[in-house]
Amino acid sequence: MFQQLISGLSAAVAYGVVGAVLMALGYVLVDLATPGKLRDLIWVHRNANAAILLVSGLLGVGIILTTAIAASSDQLVLGLVGTLSYGVLGLILMGLSFLLIDALTPGKLGDELSTPTIHPGTWVSAVAHVVIATIIAAAIW
């Protein structure tokens, strides 16, 4: 029983590290999409657009990772590789959705995200992130 506890805790730590790395990568991607420093936009300027986009990305990563972990193999290494792979795929597709929305709409979405008033395009991009994550989660099962 003690061995199962240690094994479970080790797996939780390993999956937690993968999750933290993917969330950090998601943060970097949102930072690249928005003009200026994301941390300043959110914590200094209290920019709701940047916060909404970041939250949607983190939520999307969380949805994908939770599903990938739940569906993963009993073999820890294989489960970690699958979880990491699905997480990276999700980040790529979320980034592509941002670029697609930006290409199909007037103006630059990144510039709109840095404005002080909430822009409707922020919600469109945010919902696209969550929908992509949900689709990937469904595909995992």
Side-chain angles (χ1 to χ4, degrees):
M1 182 164 154
F2 184 71
Q3 184 63 25
Q4 287 177 328
L5 177 62
I6 296 298
S7 177
L9 288 173
S10 298
V13 168
Y15 281 113
V17 168
V18 168
V21 166
L22 287 170
M23 286 190 293
L25 183 57
Y27 180 93
V28 169
L29 291 175
V30 174
D31 193 23
L32 291 173
T34 54
K37 288 287 181 194
L38 184 60
R39 67 181 195 91
D40 290 342
L41 284 172
I42 294 173
W43 282 275
V44 175
H45 303 292
R46 298 175 183 258
N47 183 294
N49 291 309
I52 291 167
L53 189 64
L54 179 60
V55 166
S56 71
L58 295 175
L59 180 62
V61 168
I63 290 168
I64 294 166
L65 295 180
T66 302
T67 306
I69 292 167
S72 68
S73 165
D74 288 339
Q75 296 175 345
L76 180 59
V77 174
L78 187 58
L80 288 169
V81 169
T83 299
L84 181 63
S85 300
Y86 284 117
V88 169
L89 174 64
L91 289 173
I92 290 169
L93 292 177
M94 284 186 252
L96 288 175
S97 76
F98 181 88
L99 294 174
L100 181 62
I101 291 168
D102 189 35
L104 295 176
T105 57
K108 289 290 291 169
L109 187 55
D111 292 340
E112 296 298 339
L113 294 175
S114 63
T115 61
T117 56
I118 295 179
H119 190 280
T122 302
W123 290 107
V124 172
S125 191
V127 169
H129 288 168
V130 175
V131 169
I132 287 167
T134 305
I135 290 167
I136 293 171
I140 292 169
W141 282 105

